[in-house]
Amino acid sequence: MSTEIAWFRHDLRLADNPLLAFPTPPEQLLCVYVLDASWLESALPGLAARRVGPARLQFLWQSLIELRGELLKRGSDLLVRIDDPVTVVADLAERHAATRVRVRHDAGCDEDEAVATLAARLEGRCEVVRTDGGMLFDASSLPTGVADLPTSFSAFRRRAEKAWQVPESGPAPVTLPPWPREAARGLPPLHEVSPEAAGWQPDPRGRFRFAGGEVAGRARLDHYLWDTAAVARYKQTRNGLVGADFSTRLSPWLAHGCLSARQVHDAVRAWENRHGGNDSTYWLVFELLWRDYFHWAAHQEGRSLFGARPLPDAGASFAAWRQGRTGVPLVDAAMRELAATGWLSNRARQNAASFLVRDLGGDWRLGAAWFEHCLVDHDVASNWGNWRYLAGVGRDARPRALDVHDQAGRYDPDGTYAALWQAPVVAAHPEEP
């Protein structure tokens, strides 16, 4: 009896998921997600802050619980483990005599090396197949090969828009092959994994609460396009700082793969067909293209994406920055919102990052690592790629300093945002010393 393994990582959905698009379906299917135990270790020297903080871990667990429910409806199931991913997947393949492991070709050198290690361990006994998914383009439909990716986004955008053919998203499977008999299944309760994540409550000043899973992601997309038509003014509002609908806020569902970029693209095109396109709908797709660019750039750059190792000691100025105690209202508000909600607007992120690097002379990698800990929408390519971009290192290396006082005058002229987050965040990260 043929058995295949679908190794889920940053693709926690059923619709438009190549992981579940079988040329010939196997007789049995084992779906597995492995939370890398290293994600529960410290991300920064001298600071007890895990790589995956409570906001993201809670969102992840909600997404996994929903994914399992959808798989059960289709005759399958899900196994979730916390360990070394390669060890778990290899042991499952050997124990159940799997003929194939299917896994998304994620960005990130650790993820890439894990798949290579697994393929070497199972060589000759079990095929390891990488699939592209979640982005606008896959490797075969990119306007340029990954190795030839331009060093600037502008050059990439010009090539992409010249021959613009984004494939349509695919439907969810109606049924799936059954679960292997005697195979383990299920996931541990979140409170056993992380009491902090299980009890995470975002500060209501953020005026939005993210819920993990494909259904919630689709509901947010429908709300932004069809319920409110907020997409029609996206370009005018996207630099906002306060409120729920100045931005799409789709990034957490995209980062965890609860939505694919093609699903968002298809929805925007459908809205345009009914209501007409404008600068705002174009700009939303433009932002999806930025995300694609960072994804494929991370594949090209490998470990150099993270700069030199190891990280330096953080120091007092970094502590003041991450705690929102710099004395600069716009920056302090941003860092308090980040700690209290797990999310920041694009404008707030840029100002906080620029201030750390340019005004405080901080190491951009420390900022990227702290964002990795805090953000509910962290994905390795976008987070580390954007930090490198703003720091002016790596690709398209140019100085990009923002005058945070000028920025505050333009985007928070009456101080509403700064006043909203004036009170320090208390115990947002109980695991900190």
Side-chain angles (χ1 to χ4, degrees), residues 357-380:
V357 175
R358 302 300 178 188
D359 295 80
L360 296 180
D363 191 313
W364 68 271
R365 296 171 303 151
L366 292 174
W370 180 246
F371 272 37
E372 179 175 344
H373 166 73
C374 292
L375 285 173
V376 68
D377 65 356
H378 168 77
D379 81 63
V380 63

Side-chain angles (χ1 to χ4, degrees), residues 333-335 337-338 341-346 348-349 352 371 375 377 417:
M335 298 312 295
E337 182 185 12
L338 175 63
T341 68
W343 190 83
L344 271 183
S345 68
N346 178 61
R349 294 185 201 206
F371 272 37
L375 285 173
D377 65 356
Y417 177 65

Side-chain angles (χ1 to χ4, degrees), residues 108-111 113 298 300-309 388:
C109 56
D110 291 341
E111 291 83 351
E113 289 171 6
Q300 187 188 67
E301 292 172 4
R303 197 160 293 281
S304 66
L305 176 68
F306 304 97
R309 295 287 187 178
R388 277 166 56 89

Side-chain angles (χ1 to χ4, degrees), residues 122-142:
L122 298 177
E123 186 175 8
R125 294 171 293 149
C126 177
E127 182 185 13
V128 176
V129 176
R130 300 189 194 209
T131 66
D132 287 328
M135 315 307 294
L136 291 177
F137 299 104
D138 54 32
S140 63
S141 61
L142 273 174

Side-chain angles (χ1 to χ4, degrees), residues 295-426:
H295 174 87
W296 294 108
H299 279 294
Q300 187 188 67
E301 292 172 4
R303 197 160 293 281
S304 66
L305 176 68
F306 304 97
R309 295 287 187 178
L311 288 174
D313 290 335
S317 61
F318 178 78
W321 175 80
R322 69 176 179 81
Q323 294 169 1
R325 295 187 294 101
T326 68
V328 178
L330 179 62
V331 174
D332 290 348
M335 298 312 295
R336 291 170 184 176
E337 182 185 12
L338 175 63
T341 68
W343 190 83
L344 271 183
S345 68
N346 178 61
R347 182 55 50 187
R349 294 185 201 206
Q350 289 191 40
N351 276 278
S354 179
F355 188 80
L356 174 67
V357 175
R358 302 300 178 188
D359 295 80
L360 296 180
D363 191 313
W364 68 271
R365 296 171 303 151
L366 292 174
W370 180 246
F371 272 37
E372 179 175 344
H373 166 73
C374 292
L375 285 173
V376 68
D377 65 356
H378 168 77
D379 81 63
V380 63
S382 294
N383 182 50
W384 287 82
N386 271 294
W387 270 93
R388 277 166 56 89
Y389 179 81
L390 196 136
V393 299
R395 312 181 71 85
D396 196 12
R398 289 178 289 168
R400 292 181 174 87
L402 297 178
D403 182 333
V404 296
H405 300 290
D406 175 71
Q407 290 275 301
R410 294 173 61 187
Y411 299 107
D412 192 31
D414 57 2
T416 300
Y417 177 65
L420 180 66
W421 294 101
Q422 187 173 21
V425 176
V426 178

